[in-house]
Structures are given as C-alpha cells and as structure tokens.
Amino acid sequence: ISDDFKFNDRLGLNAGLRLSGFVFTGPYTDPVTQKKFKKGDAVKSYLIPEPRLIFNYLVGNQSSIKAGFNLT
C-alpha cells in the first residue's frame, strides 16, 4: 500500500507500508522443550510490517533531490 502527496510544485512525499511474512518449517527439535517438528511442519510464523517514506524536492527543471527511509 502506498500513496503520493504533493505539498507544492516542488515538494512531494511517497508513504507506503508493505507486509512481509514467512514460516520457519521443520525438521527441527526445540532445544528447550525437546519438541520435535517433522519435515514441513510449521515451527514459527513471522509477519513483519515494513513502513517507508520518500521525499522528493525538485531543484530545477532537470534536477531533483530524493531522500528515503525504509524500516525492514
């Protein structure tokens, strides 16, 4: 998901959010509980939001300055 914002003719902002996920699967044996996971069993799943901001400033007709922030 993302959206563009224009503050004026020279300054703009793009803000977005991405959601990444993955699943850790077996075979695996938990070292603390000794629980055994078979091949393909879900051990743990992760869902991680990744926000981002990008600023763009037009210096002239053919030049711009861009700065961005991304949290992964």
Side-chain angles (χ1 to χ4, degrees):
I1 299 171
S2 68
D3 205 355
D4 291 312
F5 303 94
K6 293 272 286 177
F7 298 107
N8 55 42
D9 289 341
R10 296 193 175 270
L11 182 62
L13 168 72
N14 176 278
L17 179 66
R18 180 174 123 166
L19 199 57
S20 295
F22 66 95
V23 178
F24 173 48
T25 60
Y28 177 74
T29 302
D30 188 302
V32 176
T33 65
Q34 296 302 311
K35 182 176 179 181
K36 294 185 180 196
F37 295 87
K38 296 178 186 173
K39 183 178 180 179
D41 286 350
V43 177
K44 182 160 175 107
S45 57
Y46 300 87
L47 200 57
I48 304 161
E50 299 177 0
R52 73 173 183 275
L53 289 173
I54 300 169
F55 290 95
N56 193 0
Y57 181 74
L58 296 176
V59 178
N61 291 334
Q62 298 180 355
S63 300
S64 67
I65 298 172
K66 187 182 213 180
F69 170 79
N70 186 32
L71 184 62
T72 58

